[in-house]
Amino acid sequence: MWRLRESTHPVLTDEGGAILDEHTGRWTYLTPTASSAVMLLLASTTQAEAAGRFAERYGIPGEQAAADVRAVAQALTAQGLTGTDDAPARRRRWGRRS
C-alpha cells in the first residue's frame, strides 16, 4: 500500500497542493493533476486502482493514467516522502540512540 511517510504533512486540493517534509523543512509543490494522483493513491489499496480512478476522472487511456500516477509516486519516493506498510514505525526512546 502506498502512503506518505509519517513525518510529512500534505495539503491537497483539486486546485493543487503541497507536502511539507518536517525533517528537512522543505515543501514539495504539486500541480492540480499531481495532487489528484496523490489523493487517489492515498485513497486506493493499489497503484493500479488509483490509476483506474485517475483515468476515469480525467477521461484518458488507462496506460497513460498508469504512467502519470506512477511518475508522481516515483517522484515523491525519490524525494523520500513515501513509506510502505511493510516497515514498522521506529520509536525513539529518550536517552538511547537507535
Side-chain angles (χ1 to χ4, degrees):
M1 180 175 196
W2 190 92
R3 66 176 177 85
L4 292 172
R5 203 177 65 220
E6 194 172 306
S7 61
T8 60
H9 304 279
V11 179
L12 305 170
T13 70
D14 287 334
E15 289 80 37
I19 301 171
L20 172 64
D21 182 347
E22 73 179 36
H23 289 300
T24 64
R26 292 186 181 149
W27 286 92
T28 298
Y29 295 96
L30 304 171
T31 64
T33 52
S35 182
S36 176
V38 171
M39 286 190 282
L40 290 170
L41 281 162
L42 293 171
S44 301
T45 56
T46 65
Q47 202 171 89
E49 179 186 341
R53 294 169 71 186
F54 192 82
E56 201 174 290
R57 173 179 267 180
Y58 291 102
I60 59 176
E63 302 82 30
Q64 181 63 51
D68 292 348
V69 169
R70 184 173 42 255
V72 170
Q74 288 174 343
L76 295 178
T77 299
Q79 292 179 39
L81 299 175
T82 65
T84 63
D85 286 338
D86 300 337
R90 289 182 57 192
R91 294 181 69 181
R92 187 167 182 181
R93 296 179 186 218
W94 295 102
R96 291 186 177 170
R97 293 184 186 250
S98 47

